[in-house]
Amino acid sequence: MVRGGAAVLRKCGNFVDDLRVYVRGGTGGMGYPRLGGEGGRGGDVWFVARERITLKSIREKYPLKRFVAGTGANSSVKALKGEKGKDCEVHVPLGISVLCDDGKQIGELNAAGERFLAARGGLGGCLATNFVPCKGQRRIVRLDLKLIADVGLVGFPNAGKSSLLSKVSHAKPEIANYAFTTIQPQLGKIMYADYKQILVADLPGLIEGAHANRGMGHKFLKHVERTKQLLLVVDISGFQLSVKTQFRTAFETILLLTKELELYKEELLTKPALLAINKMDLPCAKDNLNELTKQLQNPQDYLHLLEEEMLPANTLEFKDIIPISTHTGEGIEELKACIRKSIAEEAEQENEEYRKKKLLLLQTSEEQMNRR
C-alpha cells in the first residue's frame, strides 16, 4: 500500500499543457473613395511551431494571452494601395492541437516550421466595402499540448516509473515512496554509446477510472497518444492505492492498465508495447514472477480474478517482458537494448511501408502513361 503526501501538490503549476488565448486579425486600412484607392488588408495571426518553446514560457512572456495583428495602411494620394498590416507570429511548441473554445479541433502543429492561420486580417476599404475597412477575425482558441516521445512510460502510482527514467536517462524526476510523485510529465533521453538518442516520457500515474477523467485521467492519457511505443511498468509485488481500495496483483494491474488505455482510446492498444516488471529486488519477487509468467502465457485461465467490467476486450501484445530493479540496476541495460531494438524494428517497418507505397504510386503512374 502507498500513501499520498500533501506537499507534492505544491509543484503542480510547473508544467502547462493547455493554454487559452485570444487572437484577433488586424483591421483593414481606410479606402480613398475619390480616387478609388484601396486600404491595406489587416495583418494575420499565425501560430508557428518551434523547438525549445513551452506553453509555460508563452504564458509568462504574454500574461494577458492576447495576440493582435497590425492594422492595414490607409490609402492615400501617395500610395493608393495601402500596405498590409504587420502579421503577428506566435511561436508554439511541437505537438500542439489548436481547438475552438467549444473543443472542436481546427488545426495541428507537429513539426518545426509548420504554421496555422489563427485569425485572418480584415479587408481594406475598397469598392466592394464602400471603401470602409473591415475588422479582422477574432476568437478565443485553446492550445492543447500532447507530448511527442519515442516511448511513454505507463503505470499505476509508485510502480517505479520515475526511478526508471532516472536510471535510463539524465532526467532528475522527483522520487519518493508515496503515490503521485509524478504530477506532471517528465522527459528524458536514453543516450547510447554510439550517440543514438531515444526520447522517453514519464507520464503521471494512472488510477482505476482514469479514462473517465478520474485523477485528471484525460490530462495524462492524452500524452500517450503521440508516443510511438508504450512501456508498461508494473510492481511485481502488486499495487494498492489506499486502505479503501482493493489490492491488485501484478497480473491484475496489467489488465487494468490495458482497460484504461482501451476505454480512453482503443487505438492505443495497437501501439508496440514492452513490459518492465519492476522491484525484482524485493523478497518473493522470483516466485511472483514465475506466477505472473504463467498468467501471461495463458491469460484466459486467470480472467476470473477480475470483475467482468474490469476486463479489457483486447489485450496488449508485449514484444518483450523484462524483469528489472531500479534499486539494484538489474535488467536496466537489457531494457535499454530492448527499447532500441523495438524502435529500430518499427522504423524499418515504417520505411518498408513507405517504399511499398512509393512503388505502387510509380507503377500506377506508369500504367496511366501507357494508356495514353
Side-chain angles (χ1 to χ4, degrees):
M1 185 183 70
V2 291
R3 301 183 185 277
V8 76
L9 298 177
R10 286 198 289 268
K11 287 188 68 181
C12 202
N14 287 1
F15 183 80
V16 179
D17 58 5
D18 187 86
L19 194 64
R20 193 167 176 261
V21 300
Y22 172 81
V23 292
R24 189 181 81 205
T27 303
M30 290 289 294
Y32 202 124
R34 189 158 60 89
L35 298 177
E38 295 183 1
R41 189 185 187 100
D44 304 318
V45 180
W46 292 87
F47 294 145
V48 184
R50 288 282 187 272
E51 294 179 349
R52 299 184 180 87
I53 297 289
T54 66
L55 290 183
K56 183 185 177 186
S57 67
I58 296 173
R59 187 179 68 178
E60 291 174 347
K61 188 175 180 180
Y62 307 100
L64 297 179
K65 294 176 286 184
R66 291 172 59 89
F67 301 99
V68 181
T71 302
N74 295 333
S75 174
S76 65
V77 174
K78 292 182 179 179
L80 288 178
K81 177 64 176 176
E83 289 188 4
K84 185 177 185 290
K86 186 177 180 181
D87 288 346
C88 173
E89 288 196 354
V90 186
H91 293 169
V92 299
L94 310 187
I96 282 289
S97 294
V98 185
L99 311 175
C100 289
D101 211 25
D102 62 2
K104 181 182 177 182
Q105 183 171 318
I106 55 176
E108 199 170 68
L109 298 165
N110 293 321
E114 288 187 349
R115 301 165 64 87
F116 173 78
L117 181 59
R120 188 181 294 278
L123 287 172
C126 60
L127 184 62
T129 65
N130 203 22
F131 297 98
V132 176
C134 298
K135 292 182 178 180
Q137 182 183 14
R138 61 183 70 192
R139 57 181 170 179
I140 293 173
V141 297
R142 276 178 42 222
L143 302 177
D144 189 49
L145 176 65
K146 296 176 183 175
L147 293 178
I148 300 175
D150 297 306
V151 180
L153 303 183
V154 178
F156 283 141
N158 212 42
K161 301 188 306 301
S162 298
S163 299
L164 178 57
L165 184 67
S166 68
K167 282 286 185 182
V168 300
S169 74
H170 296 294
K172 301 296 179 187
E174 184 176 341
I175 300 168
N177 188 30
Y178 48 73
F180 301 110
T181 307
T182 304
I183 54 175
Q184 58 194 31
Q186 303 276 351
L187 288 175
K189 283 183 180 178
I190 304 178
M191 307 286 290
Y192 294 89
D194 60 354
Y195 304 105
K196 168 73 174 176
Q197 299 180 12
I198 291 177
L199 191 62
V200 180
D202 173 19
L203 308 175
L206 302 178
I207 62 172
E208 292 179 37
H211 70 278
N213 214 22
R214 283 190 62 200
M216 299 177 75
H218 285 182
K219 193 174 180 65
F220 300 152
L221 277 167
K222 71 176 185 180
H223 293 295
V224 183
E225 292 183 48
R226 288 187 183 167
T227 57
K228 294 177 183 176
Q229 302 202 8
L230 304 178
L231 174 57
L232 269 65
V233 184
V234 172
D235 185 338
I236 187 59
S237 60
F239 171 71
Q240 186 175 17
L241 183 62
S242 71
V243 291
K244 297 180 180 179
T245 60
Q246 188 173 341
F247 173 79
R248 301 296 188 184
T249 66
F251 178 68
E252 292 170 337
T253 299
I254 294 167
L255 292 179
L256 287 169
L257 286 171
T258 305
K259 181 71 172 180
E260 291 302 327
L261 294 173
E262 179 184 73
L263 288 175
Y264 176 72
K265 188 164 284 189
E266 199 170 343
E267 293 82 1
L268 293 178
L269 299 189
T270 64
K271 289 180 180 287
L274 302 173
L275 176 62
I277 308 297
N278 194 20
K279 304 189 182 181
M280 288 301 299
D281 55 289
L282 296 178
C284 301
K286 285 186 168 55
D287 292 337
N288 290 339
L289 179 62
N290 291 335
E291 180 65 20
L292 177 60
T293 302
K294 292 177 186 176
Q295 292 170 328
L296 290 174
Q297 287 173 345
N298 300 289
Q300 299 300 324
D301 296 340
Y302 300 92
L303 295 182
H304 64 276
L305 298 173
L306 275 178
E307 301 88 340
E308 189 174 345
E309 63 271 15
M310 297 287 190
L311 296 174
N314 300 289
T315 55
L316 277 169
E317 295 292 333
F318 297 109
K319 299 182 74 172
D320 284 296
I321 299 174
I322 310 97
I324 65 168
S325 168
T326 55
H327 179 68
T328 64
E330 174 191 345
I332 297 298
E333 290 304 315
E334 181 187 353
L335 176 61
K336 288 167 66 174
C338 286
I339 290 172
R340 179 167 185 172
K341 177 186 172 188
S342 182
I343 291 288
E345 287 174 350
E346 291 303 314
E348 179 57 33
Q349 185 175 334
E350 288 178 8
N351 290 337
E352 183 62 28
E353 289 174 358
Y354 176 76
R355 285 193 291 267
K356 287 180 179 178
K357 286 180 181 177
K358 292 289 285 184
L359 181 60
L360 181 61
L361 186 63
L362 183 61
Q363 290 172 342
T364 304
S365 178
E366 288 178 352
E367 288 174 2
Q368 290 175 347
M369 290 290 290
N370 292 333
R371 285 172 191 165
R372 293 175 186 172

